[in-house]
Amino acid sequence: RRTMDEWPEPGTIPPTGEGPYWSVGTGEGFMVRDGPNYKKNGHKTKSIGSMYTAVSCDAIRGKEKITDIIMKHAHGRLPPHPDFAESSNGKAPLEWTKDCPLPRVICINMMM
């Protein structure tokens, strides 16, 4: 398991052959489902920000499908709350409470 370095120059990409790196995105410009009747009308609109912010990116290599990442590979430890993080729209700091219906952490598993 290896935690990748965050790319230090937002808005740019590293030169070919350097890396791997990760960076925090803005969450803007993705075509997302819009409205309560999406299933009926199929309307999409561009996203305007993020509900989450990335705090790290780890790479795990395995000979078979890797599952249950947080329990098996992070040993149940969640990342610390990012007190420093700001929202992608720059209006307010990110905040999560136990009353929030969304999970505090999302772990994305990409297999290549």
Side-chain angles (χ1 to χ4, degrees):
R1 175 175 169 219
R2 175 178 172 219
T3 299
M4 290 186 240
D5 292 328
E6 183 175 0
W7 178 243
E9 300 175 35
T12 67
I13 58 173
T16 302
E18 284 195 28
Y21 294 101
W22 69 276
S23 65
V24 174
T26 64
E28 297 174 347
F30 294 100
M31 295 305 291
V32 296
R33 296 174 180 187
D34 185 29
N37 298 319
Y38 172 78
K39 209 170 190 180
K40 180 180 176 184
N41 63 31
H43 186 256
K44 289 190 173 189
T45 189
K46 286 189 176 182
S47 60
I48 57 172
S50 300
M51 296 174 78
Y52 289 88
T53 190
V55 294
S56 72
C57 182
D58 290 10
I60 303 170
R61 181 179 294 199
K63 294 182 180 183
E64 55 191 39
K65 182 178 177 181
I66 297 172
T67 61
D68 203 11
I69 293 172
I70 291 179
M71 292 310 294
K72 288 182 181 174
H73 300 282
H75 309 290
R77 294 185 310 261
L78 296 176
H81 186 274
D83 295 327
F84 61 87
E86 293 183 8
S87 66
S88 62
N89 64 15
K91 293 182 180 174
L94 294 172
E95 183 178 308
W96 183 88
T97 67
K98 291 181 180 181
D99 297 328
C100 182
L102 302 172
R104 183 175 78 84
V105 173
I106 294 178
C107 177
I108 299 171
N109 180 1
M110 295 188 313
M111 294 178 271
M112 297 187 246

